[in-house]
PDB file of all heavy atoms in Angstrom:
ATOM      1  N   TRP R  10     133.557  77.732  62.582  1.00 95.00           N
ATOM      2  CA  TRP R  10     133.428  76.459  61.919  1.00 95.00           C
ATOM      3  C   TRP R  10     134.546  76.509  60.703  1.00 95.00           C
ATOM      4  O   TRP R  10     134.821  77.611  60.193  1.00 95.00           O
ATOM      5  CB  TRP R  10     132.116  76.303  61.207  1.00 95.00           C
ATOM      6  CG  TRP R  10     131.394  77.393  60.394  1.00 95.00           C
ATOM      7  CD1 TRP R  10     130.913  78.620  60.727  1.00 95.00           C
ATOM      8  CD2 TRP R  10     131.783  77.603  58.813  1.00 95.00           C
ATOM      9  NE1 TRP R  10     130.593  79.300  59.571  1.00 95.00           N
ATOM     10  CE2 TRP R  10     131.127  78.774  58.518  1.00 95.00           C
ATOM     11  CE3 TRP R  10     132.494  76.701  57.952  1.00 95.00           C
ATOM     12  CZ2 TRP R  10     131.183  79.213  57.247  1.00 95.00           C
ATOM     13  CZ3 TRP R  10     132.611  77.121  56.574  1.00 95.00           C
ATOM     14  CH2 TRP R  10     131.805  78.418  56.272  1.00 95.00           C
ATOM     15  N   VAL R  11     134.958  75.349  60.374  1.00 96.00           N
ATOM     16  CA  VAL R  11     135.914  75.297  59.384  1.00 96.00           C
ATOM     17  C   VAL R  11     136.017  74.016  58.565  1.00 96.00           C
ATOM     18  O   VAL R  11     135.671  72.915  59.300  1.00 96.00           O
ATOM     19  CB  VAL R  11     137.410  75.538  60.002  1.00 96.00           C
ATOM     20  CG1 VAL R  11     137.668  74.424  61.068  1.00 96.00           C
ATOM     21  CG2 VAL R  11     138.516  75.474  58.885  1.00 96.00           C
ATOM     22  N   SER R  15     141.650  66.696  53.766  1.00 97.00           N
ATOM     23  CA  SER R  15     142.418  65.719  54.569  1.00 97.00           C
ATOM     24  C   SER R  15     143.798  65.979  54.324  1.00 97.00           C
ATOM     25  O   SER R  15     144.261  66.146  53.191  1.00 97.00           O
ATOM     26  CB  SER R  15     142.099  64.380  53.850  1.00 97.00           C
ATOM     27  OG  SER R  15     142.588  63.320  54.711  1.00 97.00           O
ATOM     28  N   SER R  25     140.452  84.444  76.248  1.00 93.00           N
ATOM     29  CA  SER R  25     139.734  85.007  77.358  1.00 93.00           C
ATOM     30  C   SER R  25     139.693  86.556  77.269  1.00 93.00           C
ATOM     31  O   SER R  25     140.883  87.059  77.258  1.00 93.00           O
ATOM     32  CB  SER R  25     140.262  84.558  78.776  1.00 93.00           C
ATOM     33  OG  SER R  25     141.579  84.850  78.850  1.00 93.00           O
ATOM     34  N   ARG R  37     136.496  67.937  73.246  1.00 95.00           N
ATOM     35  CA  ARG R  37     135.833  67.485  72.065  1.00 95.00           C
ATOM     36  C   ARG R  37     134.487  66.992  72.330  1.00 95.00           C
ATOM     37  O   ARG R  37     134.308  66.261  73.361  1.00 95.00           O
ATOM     38  CB  ARG R  37     136.692  66.396  71.407  1.00 95.00           C
ATOM     39  CG  ARG R  37     136.349  65.852  70.013  1.00 95.00           C
ATOM     40  CD  ARG R  37     137.466  64.864  69.440  1.00 95.00           C
ATOM     41  NE  ARG R  37     137.078  64.520  68.133  1.00 95.00           N
ATOM     42  CZ  ARG R  37     137.869  63.719  67.497  1.00 95.00           C
ATOM     43  NH1 ARG R  37     139.006  63.339  67.871  1.00 95.00           N
ATOM     44  NH2 ARG R  37     137.446  63.314  66.278  1.00 95.00           N
ATOM     45  N   SER R  54     153.848  76.651  79.803  1.00 86.00           N
ATOM     46  CA  SER R  54     154.381  75.353  79.994  1.00 86.00           C
ATOM     47  C   SER R  54     153.551  74.420  79.107  1.00 86.00           C
ATOM     48  O   SER R  54     152.666  74.757  78.453  1.00 86.00           O
ATOM     49  CB  SER R  54     154.155  74.847  81.444  1.00 86.00           C
ATOM     50  OG  SER R  54     152.828  74.727  81.897  1.00 86.00           O
ATOM     51  N   TYR R  58     148.007  66.228  78.385  1.00 95.00           N
ATOM     52  CA  TYR R  58     147.053  65.522  77.517  1.00 95.00           C
ATOM     53  C   TYR R  58     146.377  64.389  78.191  1.00 95.00           C
ATOM     54  O   TYR R  58     146.994  63.648  79.068  1.00 95.00           O
ATOM     55  CB  TYR R  58     147.699  64.975  76.234  1.00 95.00           C
ATOM     56  CG  TYR R  58     148.192  65.941  75.287  1.00 95.00           C
ATOM     57  CD1 TYR R  58     149.332  66.750  75.547  1.00 95.00           C
ATOM     58  CD2 TYR R  58     147.336  66.375  74.262  1.00 95.00           C
ATOM     59  CE1 TYR R  58     149.699  67.684  74.644  1.00 95.00           C
ATOM     60  CE2 TYR R  58     147.690  67.379  73.396  1.00 95.00           C
ATOM     61  CZ  TYR R  58     148.844  68.055  73.547  1.00 95.00           C
ATOM     62  OH  TYR R  58     149.349  69.051  72.710  1.00 95.00           O
ATOM     63  N   GLU R  63     146.334  62.098  71.042  1.00 94.00           N
ATOM     64  CA  GLU R  63     147.641  62.113  70.528  1.00 94.00           C
ATOM     65  C   GLU R  63     148.317  63.473  70.474  1.00 94.00           C
ATOM     66  O   GLU R  63     147.806  64.523  70.000  1.00 94.00           O
ATOM     67  CB  GLU R  63     147.610  61.687  68.947  1.00 94.00           C
ATOM     68  CG  GLU R  63     147.140  60.385  68.895  1.00 94.00           C
ATOM     69  CD  GLU R  63     146.990  60.072  67.289  1.00 94.00           C
ATOM     70  OE1 GLU R  63     148.079  60.092  66.431  1.00 94.00           O
ATOM     71  OE2 GLU R  63     145.724  59.705  66.840  1.00 94.00           O
ATOM     72  N   HIS R  85     142.334  64.285  59.412  1.00 96.00           N
ATOM     73  CA  HIS R  85     141.613  63.295  58.620  1.00 96.00           C
ATOM     74  C   HIS R  85     140.161  63.343  58.963  1.00 96.00           C
ATOM     75  O   HIS R  85     139.754  64.029  59.959  1.00 96.00           O
ATOM     76  CB  HIS R  85     142.276  61.905  59.017  1.00 96.00           C
ATOM     77  CG  HIS R  85     143.525  61.677  58.463  1.00 96.00           C
ATOM     78  ND1 HIS R  85     143.910  61.435  57.154  1.00 96.00           N
ATOM     79  CD2 HIS R  85     144.778  61.798  59.226  1.00 96.00           C
ATOM     80  CE1 HIS R  85     145.244  61.402  56.973  1.00 96.00           C
ATOM     81  NE2 HIS R  85     145.760  61.590  58.170  1.00 96.00           N
ATOM     82  N   ASP R  88     138.863  63.245  62.455  1.00 96.00           N
ATOM     83  CA  ASP R  88     138.935  64.274  63.298  1.00 96.00           C
ATOM     84  C   ASP R  88     137.885  65.322  63.228  1.00 96.00           C
ATOM     85  O   ASP R  88     137.852  66.295  64.093  1.00 96.00           O
ATOM     86  CB  ASP R  88     140.403  65.073  62.948  1.00 96.00           C
ATOM     87  CG  ASP R  88     141.577  64.167  63.047  1.00 96.00           C
ATOM     88  OD1 ASP R  88     141.588  63.290  63.987  1.00 96.00           O
ATOM     89  OD2 ASP R  88     142.474  64.267  62.244  1.00 96.00           O
ATOM     90  N   CYS R  94     136.843  75.102  73.776  1.00 95.00           N
ATOM     91  CA  CYS R  94     137.684  75.447  74.789  1.00 95.00           C
ATOM     92  C   CYS R  94     137.012  76.094  75.958  1.00 95.00           C
ATOM     93  O   CYS R  94     135.985  76.562  75.909  1.00 95.00           O
ATOM     94  CB  CYS R  94     138.750  76.518  74.206  1.00 95.00           C
ATOM     95  SG  CYS R  94     138.206  78.201  74.015  1.00 95.00           S
ATOM     96  N   VAL R 100     140.835  79.898  91.269  1.00 61.00           N
ATOM     97  CA  VAL R 100     141.442  78.593  91.518  1.00 61.00           C
ATOM     98  C   VAL R 100     140.435  77.523  91.460  1.00 61.00           C
ATOM     99  O   VAL R 100     140.692  76.692  90.496  1.00 61.00           O
ATOM    100  CB  VAL R 100     141.902  78.623  93.057  1.00 61.00           C
ATOM    101  CG1 VAL R 100     142.550  77.449  93.438  1.00 61.00           C
ATOM    102  CG2 VAL R 100     142.964  79.797  93.276  1.00 61.00           C
ATOM    103  N   GLY R 107     134.100  78.828  75.377  1.00 94.00           N
ATOM    104  CA  GLY R 107     134.004  79.346  73.963  1.00 94.00           C
ATOM    105  C   GLY R 107     132.756  78.857  73.351  1.00 94.00           C
ATOM    106  O   GLY R 107     132.043  77.958  73.780  1.00 94.00           O
ATOM    107  N   VAL R 114     136.474  67.677  58.020  1.00 96.00           N
ATOM    108  CA  VAL R 114     137.541  67.333  57.269  1.00 96.00           C
ATOM    109  C   VAL R 114     137.024  66.457  56.027  1.00 96.00           C
ATOM    110  O   VAL R 114     136.435  65.335  56.297  1.00 96.00           O
ATOM    111  CB  VAL R 114     138.670  66.399  58.014  1.00 96.00           C
ATOM    112  CG1 VAL R 114     139.819  66.282  57.177  1.00 96.00           C
ATOM    113  CG2 VAL R 114     138.979  67.296  59.314  1.00 96.00           C
TER     114      VAL R 114
END
Side-chain angles (χ1 to χ4, degrees):
Chain R
W10 58 270
V11 57
S15 187
S25 55
R37 186 172 179 175
S54 63
Y58 290 82
E63 298 177 59
H85 291 285
D88 299 323
C94 74
V100 179
V114 185

